[in-house]
Amino acid sequence: DADVTQTPRNRITKTGKRIMLECSQTKGHDRMYWYRQDPGLGLRLIYYSFDVKDINKGEISDGYSVSRQAQAKFSLSLESAIPNQTALYFCATSVLRDKGYNEQFFGPGTRLTVL
Amino acid sequence: QKEVEQNSGPLSVPEGAIASLNCTYSDRGSQSFFWYRQYSGKSPELIMSIYSNGDKEDGRFTAQLNKASQYVSLLIRDSQPSDSATYLCAVLISGGYNKLIFGAGTRLAVHP
């Protein structure tokens, strides 16, 4: 089945460490997203990419960077992790349809804890 | 003002009842609206999309859209305990790069 996968699923790290979260998809979608979810705050967009050469900041990009290595791969890096980056991180994909429809499909998530 | 607002709940309904979940949004130009279901610790799952004013039915789910009132709702008929989850409303914001803005979600609890 066409799918969105994320690795790792869980990660505990220490303040100041560099962390990379990876996302791969077999849906053939050109658009990929990274979100974080915190209790009571819903999903917030970190970065998004509409193709390999098009990467854009979302509403909370400070402290994060991304790399779109291929159409199917989109990685999120925390250059120097801090405790308030402890959250659930989701990758999502979509394909542009008529009239701007943008149904997004989510990966299983990565639970990141920064001590 | 938040761009997409939902009552956080919990909304508690008995098994077999109709659950009504509501969402308001601020961008009058928005054209696409989505409902996601999220079980605790799991990823959001798309359950309904609606693009035109009126009702859209899919099984036990009905989405309702009123663009003049900037209001979208989700009705779940014959609610089951397995429907207990957080329901996220998402709105595609118009202009520039199309971005999906999520509400914080409404937690639904269906009790036997």
Side-chain angles (χ1 to χ4, degrees):
Chain A
D1 287 343
D3 213 345
V4 184
T5 58
Q6 291 183 236
T7 56
R9 295 293 311 280
N10 288 282
R11 182 71 184 267
I12 299 174
T13 191
K14 294 182 178 180
T15 297
K17 294 291 188 181
R18 184 178 188 274
I19 297 297
M20 178 180 286
L21 309 182
E22 298 187 337
C23 176
S24 295
Q25 53 113 346
T26 57
K27 288 185 171 294
H29 291 174
D30 51 356
R31 301 180 167 202
M32 299 186 73
Y33 310 80
W34 276 104
Y35 291 90
R36 67 176 277 175
Q37 188 174 39
D38 300 274
L41 295 179
L43 286 157
R44 292 184 291 166
L45 184 62
I46 306 172
Y47 271 95
Y48 59 105
S49 170
F50 283 3
D51 66 42
V52 174
K53 296 180 181 179
D54 181 25
I55 294 177
N56 305 279
K57 293 182 178 180
E59 58 182 306
I60 55 164
S61 59
D62 288 348
Y64 301 94
S65 62
V66 291
S67 172
R68 184 84 183 264
Q69 300 95 324
Q71 187 200 32
K73 294 183 182 295
F74 193 34
S75 300
L76 176 72
S77 293
L78 288 67
E79 297 302 326
S80 180
I82 56 177
N84 76 359
Q85 291 177 313
T86 293
L88 193 53
Y89 290 83
F90 289 106
C91 174
T93 72
S94 73
V95 60
L96 182 66
R97 301 180 188 275
D98 295 339
K99 301 180 182 180
Y101 301 163
N102 191 26
E103 297 171 343
Q104 293 187 15
F105 299 90
F106 285 80
T110 294
R111 185 170 296 280
L112 177 66
T113 303
V114 183
L115 302 176
Chain B
Q1 180 188 5
K2 291 183 181 178
E3 293 181 274
V4 179
E5 295 208 45
Q6 297 180 253
N7 188 318
S8 61
L11 173 66
S12 183
V13 301
E15 184 174 356
I18 296 175
S20 178
L21 305 162
N22 304 315
C23 172
T24 59
Y25 60 94
S26 60
D27 180 12
R28 189 169 288 279
S30 296
Q31 298 293 323
S32 305
F33 307 87
F34 308 91
W35 283 99
Y36 286 81
R37 177 176 62 199
Q38 186 176 25
Y39 294 111
S40 180
K42 302 297 184 181
S43 60
E45 173 193 8
L46 180 66
I47 55 172
M48 288 288 285
S49 55
I50 186 166
Y51 311 107
S52 304
N53 277 329
D55 295 358
K56 178 182 177 182
E57 186 175 319
D58 184 0
R60 295 187 296 113
F61 299 103
T62 298
Q64 299 175 317
L65 175 61
N66 183 326
K67 291 182 181 179
S69 300
Q70 296 175 241
Y71 177 94
V72 58
S73 65
L74 179 70
L75 302 178
I76 306 175
R77 290 181 300 282
D78 188 23
S79 295
Q80 301 297 309
S82 59
D83 294 325
S84 298
T86 296
Y87 289 80
L88 306 175
C89 173
V91 177
L92 188 64
I93 301 299
S94 61
Y97 283 108
N98 291 336
K99 289 190 291 186
L100 209 55
I101 304 297
F102 286 83
T106 298
R107 188 158 60 91
L108 173 67
V110 181
H111 53 87

